[in-house]
Amino acid sequence: MTMLDDRQTAAPWPTAYPQGYAVVDVETTGLARDDRIISAAVYRLDALGNVEDHWYTLVNPERDPGPVWIHGLTSDVLEGAPLFPEVAGELSARLADRVLVAHNAAFDWSMIAREYARASVVAPVEQRLCTIALAKELRLPLPNHKLASLAAHFGVVQQHAHHALDDARVLAEAFRPSLHAAARDGVRLPLLECRPLTEWSDSPVTPRVGYRPARQPNSWRPSRKRPACPYPNPGRYEKERPLKQGMRVAFSGDTSVDRELLEDRAVEAGLHVATSVSRLTSLLVTNDPDSATSKTQKAKAFGTPVVDESAFTHLLRDVAPADGTALPRQATPPPSEATPSSE
């Protein structure tokens, strides 16, 4: 498939589209919440998706570099690299006033947000766009949602996979025709709000000898085991009615608020956070109900009610007490509702 030319976009450019983008890729020591960024790259694009410039840096994670066989960055290579607080200013200058674009943006944003939080700096990012979500909106005939498949669809040649600079280049070249296709067909851009992690605090990281993939959802804030929900399951959520304590709630896909914080708010309100969808699930929360994840497919099969993140955070404001219990003290509003001016 050939890349879409500007002249093929017959319709006027949508005025509601962003005025600039920052295509980002980060390589990390792993996939867990306590892992660190070891390299980052940013391609700045204008409103039409044309490349303005690019930037790349290594980052010293002050720990084992993780899967060297994937990213190729050894401890010796990273030893003299700057620490994240030393590159945060330059990164901020390249992200400011732009939509962050990434392939599986939830991951890249979460890693960036945590690094900023550790450095006690606020990331200048208000919105992000996931190119996987955009490919779904465009209904691209991809065999899977890997970056290599998206690149191949648009004829983009990848030279060095899992190198942040080359991955960002490939994504920038694939994003431009995607953006033009969306403008041509009047497709909405799947933009999500980015909230800085202001509630997280630093905690010591356990030294690792060699690379051990984390299998537990540990974060670098003090970990805690959630207690079992004390309320019985009252059944499924009914539209136009409030949530009730004890309801089983599952989450699927990308969310504007960090997933763990969103789950914390649900638990604080007296809900049961489920890791899967079954016939007993009261509600599925997802911003992409048409995705092919196992949770959304099971929700359709079981007839489980589905709401998006925005509706769910509004429902969290007024959770009804479980039968036979007193009305609980109102829980702290979730991060997405903490600033009324942002609504």
Side-chain angles (χ1 to χ4, degrees):
M1 177 175 179
T2 57
M3 294 182 69
L4 186 66
D5 188 271
D6 290 347
R7 293 168 294 183
Q8 293 177 275
T9 308
W13 195 261
T15 57
Y17 277 22
Q19 295 304 301
Y21 305 89
V23 178
V24 173
D25 185 78
V26 297
E27 295 300 319
T28 66
T29 59
L31 306 179
R33 291 179 174 273
D34 61 350
D35 278 298
R36 307 296 299 270
I37 290 176
I38 56 176
S39 67
V42 180
Y43 267 73
R44 290 197 290 190
L45 312 181
D46 64 16
L48 298 179
N50 300 310
V51 175
E52 295 178 333
D53 58 29
H54 63 268
W55 172 80
Y56 171 76
T57 184
L58 295 175
V59 181
N60 185 344
E62 299 184 284
R63 63 181 298 173
D64 186 281
V68 174
W69 60 90
I70 295 178
H71 52 64
L73 298 176
T74 64
S75 296
D76 290 341
V77 171
L78 297 171
E79 183 178 2
L83 304 178
F84 185 84
E86 297 171 335
V87 301
E90 181 66 23
L91 179 58
S92 294
R94 296 182 177 275
L95 298 178
D97 302 319
R98 296 172 185 266
V99 170
L100 185 150
V101 177
H103 202 67
N104 189 12
F107 173 75
D108 291 81
W109 164 244
S110 66
M111 296 301 299
I112 291 170
R114 289 181 197 121
E115 290 289 6
Y116 270 98
R118 289 186 183 98
S120 299
V121 180
V122 176
V125 180
E126 296 183 357
Q127 290 181 308
R128 67 178 182 267
L129 186 156
C130 179
T131 46
I132 295 177
L134 181 56
K136 292 179 181 179
E137 291 284 347
L138 295 173
R139 301 186 184 279
L140 299 182
L142 304 177
N144 53 55
H145 294 295
K146 295 180 179 180
L147 177 59
S149 297
L150 182 66
H153 179 77
F154 288 114
V156 179
V157 178
Q158 189 160 31
Q159 299 172 351
H160 193 171
H162 299 297
H163 185 287
L165 183 60
D166 195 58
D167 281 351
R169 174 193 63 80
V170 168
L171 188 58
E173 292 185 18
F175 174 65
R176 182 174 180 275
S178 299
L179 179 64
H180 281 254
R184 178 196 63 205
D185 298 338
V187 173
R188 71 174 181 88
L189 296 183
L191 301 175
L192 284 176
E193 184 181 16
C194 290
R195 289 278 183 173
L197 302 184
T198 57
E199 297 189 11
W200 292 48
S201 58
D202 204 358
S203 62
V205 175
T206 302
R208 299 187 294 182
V209 179
Y211 176 68
R212 298 197 306 273
R215 297 188 179 276
Q216 297 180 350
N218 294 328
S219 72
W220 51 275
R221 68 173 175 171
S223 61
R224 62 193 184 285
K225 184 178 180 180
R226 291 193 182 112
C229 183
Y231 309 111
N233 185 356
R236 289 184 171 179
Y237 164 73
E238 296 180 24
K239 190 176 181 181
E240 307 299 335
R241 301 195 65 179
L243 294 170
K244 181 178 283 189
Q245 289 181 325
M247 283 186 170
R248 297 176 65 94
V249 179
F251 297 87
S252 177
D254 196 3
T255 54
S256 296
V257 177
D258 185 89
R259 173 73 69 80
E260 185 173 275
L261 295 179
L262 196 59
E263 292 178 351
D264 283 351
R265 294 296 176 258
V267 171
E268 289 169 6
L271 303 176
H272 177 136
V273 174
T275 57
S276 62
V277 172
S278 71
R279 296 184 186 277
L280 299 177
T281 304
S282 306
L283 181 69
L284 175 66
V285 180
T286 177
N287 290 321
D288 189 6
D290 296 323
S291 67
T293 66
S294 61
K295 290 181 182 178
T296 56
Q297 294 301 306
K298 287 181 179 179
K300 291 179 181 178
F302 297 144
T304 305
V306 177
V307 301
D308 63 19
E309 178 186 0
S310 176
F312 179 70
T313 54
H314 277 82
L315 288 169
L316 277 180
R317 291 174 169 179
D318 188 22
V319 177
D323 294 335
T325 64
L327 184 67
R329 186 178 63 183
Q330 185 175 7
T332 303
S336 62
E337 303 298 331
T339 308
S341 61
S342 66
E343 295 181 356

